[in-house]
Amino acid sequence: MKLAPPAQKPVTPRLIITSIVAASALMLSGCGGSSSSDGHDHTEIETAGRLAIYDSTGSQIKVMDLDDGSILEQFPLDGEAPRLYRSPNARYGVVIQRGDDLVSFVDSGLYTEDHGDHMHDYAETPSMLSLTLNDHRPTHYSLGEEYGVVFYDGAASAANAKVTVFSDHSLESNSEVASLGRDNNMHGVAKMVGDRLFVTRRDSSITDTTLPAEVERYQLDGGSFTHEHLYAEQCPRLHGAAANHHALAFGCSDGVLVIDLEDDAFPAEKLDNPPTLIDGSRIGTLVAHHDVDALVGIAGNQLFVINPEDAEPYLELTLGEGVTRIAQGFDGHGETFYVFGNDGKLRLFDPADGWLLAATLEVMEPLAEGDQVAFTESASEDRLFALTPDGQSIIEIDTHEREVLRTIALDFQAASLVWLGLMDDHDHDHAH
């Protein structure tokens, strides 16, 4: 797959590389970096971060330094091609191989420690953790401010569903925070919000589907969960969940179940399906960002902005006639909601301006049937990284300036990628 020629829409890519000190100087083991005027020793590293990339030809996880494009380390990975996510603080890559019943972790080497009177940044050599999670069918991963959650579907003849929770802090010691078993198998989901776990429940009387229809709430206490509440509000064929700072939403076949996170009682309400929803469709994917008031519900090629506090809670976003949605999400700061279509164009919506379509960028040529792309967002800059269908190039996009910055050519065939590095104070909740 080649990039769209400039003649279609003139774009002048800019190579932006943040200068950093020599790698040997970044292999830090203590304080004492650059001095500052406040009397403390600080080490602050200016870096665009790193990408963990799956090399499908070599069956390896490779870690790329975005500042110079070099491959810092590579790790062999047996089994199927993984899905890649980031840990809550973006230090670790979460490597999920569902068919192999395996979750593993790669340490990017970029992290920050609180030294009491100052924060200290580190840039070290990437590594693979010895910790692996080995439960049946790890299927859904959800990202929160402090915790990452893996939901294992299980199987009727093999194992019940299960939830495992970890944090960057627990991963530092090669451990999980806590786990919770379910009563049966299900294609479910779980979200951690503060110290509360919201997790799906499938009643044993439901036999025509593995999709659950109920939500339970637990409280995390040390290394275990205490049951608090089973919600009476039903959510048939539940699929998809996302949370921002004040609401948690689950997709149901007949609408959206919304839980109020600002009320200490965490009450729930049920929204009917959008009036413009295509017959036979349902919202099955939800996307949210901690700092954005509304959520986005996805039903096929229809995208609905959901604001539960409005009398008319749905606003439909349009992509254009004949455009198929391929990928979507928020940028790291929540200032842009992006949707990539099969026409090779990236649409940038502005949540702060009534979800106006602010720009449409020609990123690559139109996709052929069966083509796949992968996107990942920086959590420190307004950047997106798009992997082209041939797996040979990564395109960097500035969502603030709304332009293509550069193309990074690869000498291997990539199949997935995730950004890792030093975060700012913002949080991003991935689609599920």
Side-chain angles (χ1 to χ4, degrees), residues 171-416:
L171 293 179
E172 288 177 16
S173 57
N174 278 285
S175 64
E176 62 187 60
V177 172
S179 292
L180 178 69
R182 304 276 69 203
D183 293 336
N184 48 32
N185 66 297
M186 75 185 86
H187 186 54
V189 63
K191 298 286 297 182
M192 281 293 296
V193 180
D195 63 352
R196 295 313 203 277
L197 175 72
F198 297 85
V199 59
T200 54
R201 176 182 182 272
R202 181 173 72 86
D203 191 282
S204 58
S205 64
I206 299 176
T207 58
D208 62 332
T209 178
T210 59
L211 293 176
E214 295 174 306
V215 175
E216 290 183 300
R217 187 179 74 244
Y218 289 79
Q219 182 171 20
L220 177 63
D221 183 12
S224 61
F225 290 102
T226 302
H227 185 268
E228 284 191 337
H229 185 65
L230 170 63
Y231 286 91
E233 294 81 1
Q234 295 293 292
C235 183
R237 297 183 180 269
L238 187 156
H239 192 275
N244 54 27
H245 66 283
H246 68 90
L248 166 61
F250 296 90
C252 319
S253 61
D254 59 354
V256 177
L257 179 66
V258 181
I259 296 174
D260 185 349
L261 301 177
E262 294 183 322
D263 188 320
D264 290 341
F266 303 106
E269 67 171 320
K270 186 71 170 291
L271 303 179
D272 293 334
N273 273 325
T276 59
L277 184 70
I278 295 174
D279 289 344
S281 186
R282 53 82 53 90
I283 291 176
T285 299
L286 289 151
V287 194
H289 189 284
H290 182 268
D291 297 331
V292 180
D293 288 340
L295 307 95
V296 179
I298 300 170
N301 283 323
Q302 290 186 286
L303 297 102
F304 298 95
V305 177
I306 306 171
N307 192 335
E309 298 179 356
D310 286 357
E312 297 182 2
Y314 296 107
L315 168 68
E316 186 170 357
L317 304 179
T318 57
L319 305 181
E321 188 69 27
V323 177
T324 299
R325 171 191 62 85
I326 301 296
Q328 71 286 313
F330 287 95
D331 68 359
H333 294 165
E335 295 172 355
T336 299
F337 180 75
Y338 68 88
V339 183
F340 179 75
N342 65 338
D343 57 357
K345 296 180 181 180
L346 186 71
R347 291 154 179 83
L348 305 179
F349 295 89
D350 187 348
D353 190 15
W355 293 83
L356 173 74
L357 178 59
T360 300
L361 306 181
E362 294 188 18
V363 175
M364 60 186 77
E365 289 182 349
L367 273 59
E369 186 175 355
D371 279 351
Q372 296 183 349
V373 298
F375 278 80
T376 187
E377 310 88 12
S378 168
S380 66
E381 299 178 292
D382 301 309
R383 300 285 190 272
L384 297 179
F385 298 91
L387 178 63
T388 54
D390 62 2
Q392 297 289 297
S393 301
I394 296 172
I395 302 170
E396 182 176 357
I397 300 137
D398 186 329
T399 56
H400 181 73
E401 298 298 330
R402 297 163 184 165
E403 62 179 339
V404 175
L405 295 179
R406 60 168 168 166
T407 297
I408 305 170
L410 303 176
D411 60 3
F412 58 91
Q413 186 168 3
S416 56

Side-chain angles (χ1 to χ4, degrees), residues 76-88:
L77 190 72
D78 296 331
E80 68 179 21
R83 291 173 290 129
L84 301 178
Y85 305 93
R86 71 166 176 86
S87 63

Side-chain angles (χ1 to χ4, degrees), residues 37-283:
S37 59
D38 62 6
H40 299 302
D41 286 336
H42 289 245
T43 300
E44 296 181 358
I45 298 173
E46 294 295 330
T47 175
R50 297 171 176 176
L51 293 178
I53 308 168
Y54 177 63
D55 173 0
S56 58
T57 303
S59 298
Q60 297 174 324
I61 297 290
K62 296 185 174 181
V63 180
M64 173 187 285
D65 186 342
L66 282 168
D67 297 313
D68 61 15
S70 65
I71 299 298
L72 300 175
E73 288 290 336
Q74 53 193 30
F75 309 99
L77 190 72
D78 296 331
E80 68 179 21
R83 291 173 290 129
L84 301 178
Y85 305 93
R86 71 166 176 86
S87 63
N89 292 338
R91 173 176 176 174
Y92 301 97
V94 183
V95 183
I96 297 183
Q97 295 171 283
R98 183 181 189 271
D100 299 317
D101 298 338
L102 180 63
V103 181
S104 51
F105 303 89
V106 57
D107 185 346
S108 71
L110 289 175
Y111 61 98
T112 301
E113 284 187 353
D114 186 351
H115 285 196
D117 60 347
H118 71 278
M119 303 301 289
H120 190 106
D121 292 343
Y122 292 83
E124 299 180 345
T125 303
S127 61
M128 287 293 292
L129 298 190
S130 60
L131 173 69
T132 59
L133 307 178
N134 309 94
D135 285 292
H136 203 77
R137 296 294 186 266
T139 303
H140 290 306
Y141 175 68
S142 64
L143 181 64
E145 290 187 87
E146 184 178 357
Y147 299 105
V149 183
V150 178
F151 192 98
Y152 304 85
D153 283 0
S157 60
N160 290 344
K162 182 180 177 180
V163 175
T164 297
V165 177
F166 58 82
S167 66
D168 282 64
H169 181 68
S170 74
L171 293 179
E172 288 177 16
S173 57
N174 278 285
S175 64
E176 62 187 60
V177 172
S179 292
L180 178 69
R182 304 276 69 203
D183 293 336
N184 48 32
N185 66 297
M186 75 185 86
H187 186 54
V189 63
K191 298 286 297 182
M192 281 293 296
V193 180
D195 63 352
R196 295 313 203 277
L197 175 72
F198 297 85
V199 59
T200 54
R201 176 182 182 272
R202 181 173 72 86
D203 191 282
S204 58
S205 64
I206 299 176
T207 58
D208 62 332
T209 178
T210 59
L211 293 176
E214 295 174 306
V215 175
E216 290 183 300
R217 187 179 74 244
Y218 289 79
Q219 182 171 20
L220 177 63
D221 183 12
S224 61
F225 290 102
T226 302
H227 185 268
E228 284 191 337
H229 185 65
L230 170 63
Y231 286 91
E233 294 81 1
Q234 295 293 292
C235 183
R237 297 183 180 269
L238 187 156
H239 192 275
N244 54 27
H245 66 283
H246 68 90
L248 166 61
F250 296 90
C252 319
S253 61
D254 59 354
V256 177
L257 179 66
V258 181
I259 296 174
D260 185 349
L261 301 177
E262 294 183 322
D263 188 320
D264 290 341
F266 303 106
E269 67 171 320
K270 186 71 170 291
L271 303 179
D272 293 334
N273 273 325
T276 59
L277 184 70
I278 295 174
D279 289 344
S281 186
R282 53 82 53 90
I283 291 176

